């Protein structure tokens, strides 16, 4: 379900980032630009044979309409708790060494990163699976909403898992047929690497 806002509308943002960090998990909801390299550094470990980094950014079009920006807002206390639960579940399920999730709040113009997920694991298979599953869990469960602004038009509120206005994401994905791109004006980039301990091993 979606509602609209005039072009002049600006969501209220927190003045600082909200963090949860342990030795194996880093979660951040922040109004500031994301830092993929910082998250990669956090998950780096001599015990990891693989590190996977996902970067989601604002795409220039959605359903053939030019997108100006995406603007994210959240109920931060609940969203942070949800992200922590997701992270802890991913670490336990996939035997990860470390995991980091960082989500931007506020406006993300075309090409700007809105979500970064980094994972490290002994083997590449677990790292790949955990990165993808973590992203889907974040988009389906975290209390984060986005205001999609089109060029010359009003903004449309969507949950993170909505496709077109009033269309479930599965249907939107079929219509978009954009392969790796995320629906709703986002596009994803995945980078993966193997360390010495995991290279050439079965997963």
């Amino acid at each position: 379900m979606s509602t609209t806002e005039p072009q002049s509308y600006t969501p209220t943002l927190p003045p600082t980032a909200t963090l949860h960090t342990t030795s194996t998990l880093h979660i951040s909801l922040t109004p500031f630009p994301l830092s993929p390299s910082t998250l990669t550094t956090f998950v780096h470990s001599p015990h990891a044979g693989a590190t996977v980094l996902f970067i989601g950014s604002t795409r220039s079009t959605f359903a053939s309409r030019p997108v100006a920006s995406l603007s994210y807002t959240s109920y931060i206390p609940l969203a942070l708790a949800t992200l922590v639960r997701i992270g802890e579940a991913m670490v336990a399920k996939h035997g990860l060494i470390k995991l980091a999730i960082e989500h931007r709040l506020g406006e993300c113009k075309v090409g700007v990163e809105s979500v970064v997920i980094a994972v490290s694991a002994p083997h590449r298979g677990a790292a790949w699976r955990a990165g993808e599953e973590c992203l889907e869990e974040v988009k389906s469960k975290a209390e984060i909403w986005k205001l999609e602004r089109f060029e010359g038009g009003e903004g449309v509120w969507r949950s993170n898992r909505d496709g077109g206005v009033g269309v479930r994401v599965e249907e939107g994905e079929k219509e978009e047929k954009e392969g790796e791109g995320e629906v709703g004006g986002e596009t994803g980039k995945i980078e993966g690497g193997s360390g010495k301990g995991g290279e050439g091993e079965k997963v």
Side-chain angles (χ1 to χ4, degrees):
M1 188 165 123
S2 304
T3 59
T4 60
E5 297 285 0
Q7 285 184 300
S8 59
Y9 176 79
T10 302
T12 302
L13 296 178
T16 61
T18 302
L19 307 173
H20 172 92
T21 303
T22 67
S23 61
T24 60
L25 190 65
H26 172 77
I27 307 294
S28 174
L29 289 165
T30 177
F32 306 116
L34 306 186
S35 175
S37 62
T38 299
L39 269 62
T40 302
T41 298
F42 173 82
V43 301
H44 177 76
S45 168
H47 307 297
T51 296
V52 169
L53 175 68
F54 172 85
I55 303 172
S57 56
T58 303
R59 193 174 65 233
S60 62
T61 61
F62 173 63
S64 300
R65 298 181 64 187
V67 171
S69 68
L70 298 177
S71 189
Y72 293 86
T73 188
S74 172
Y75 180 55
I76 293 176
L78 191 55
L80 186 70
T82 298
L83 292 176
V84 170
R85 285 196 300 271
I86 291 171
E88 291 174 342
M90 294 298 100
V91 170
K93 179 178 179 179
H94 296 283
L96 303 180
I97 295 173
K98 293 184 180 183
L99 181 146
I101 306 169
E102 195 165 66
H103 206 297
R104 180 79 180 268
L105 299 177
E107 186 177 41
C108 296
K109 293 185 180 295
V110 171
V112 173
E113 294 87 356
S114 56
V115 60
V116 177
I117 296 173
V119 304
S120 60
H123 306 293
R124 63 185 180 274
W128 281 117
R129 289 189 292 270
E132 182 175 16
E133 184 175 349
C134 183
L135 173 67
E136 296 305 320
E137 288 287 285
V138 169
K139 291 179 72 65
S140 65
K141 295 180 179 179
E143 292 77 12
I144 300 170
W145 301 272
K146 61 187 174 188
L147 178 63
E148 187 170 48
R149 296 186 188 276
F150 294 99
E151 293 286 356
E154 61 190 2
V156 179
W157 280 109
R158 309 180 194 277
S159 69
N160 250 357
R161 286 294 290 169
D162 280 348
V165 179
V167 178
R168 293 296 302 167
V169 67
E170 291 81 6
E171 298 174 34
E173 285 171 345
K174 291 177 183 177
E175 293 174 1
E176 286 283 283
K177 296 182 180 178
E178 292 192 9
E180 295 178 355
E182 294 295 317
V183 298
E186 290 176 291
T187 186
K189 177 172 65 174
I190 299 177
E191 300 175 3
S194 290
K196 293 179 181 179
E199 198 167 357
E201 295 186 8
K202 291 183 180 180
V203 295

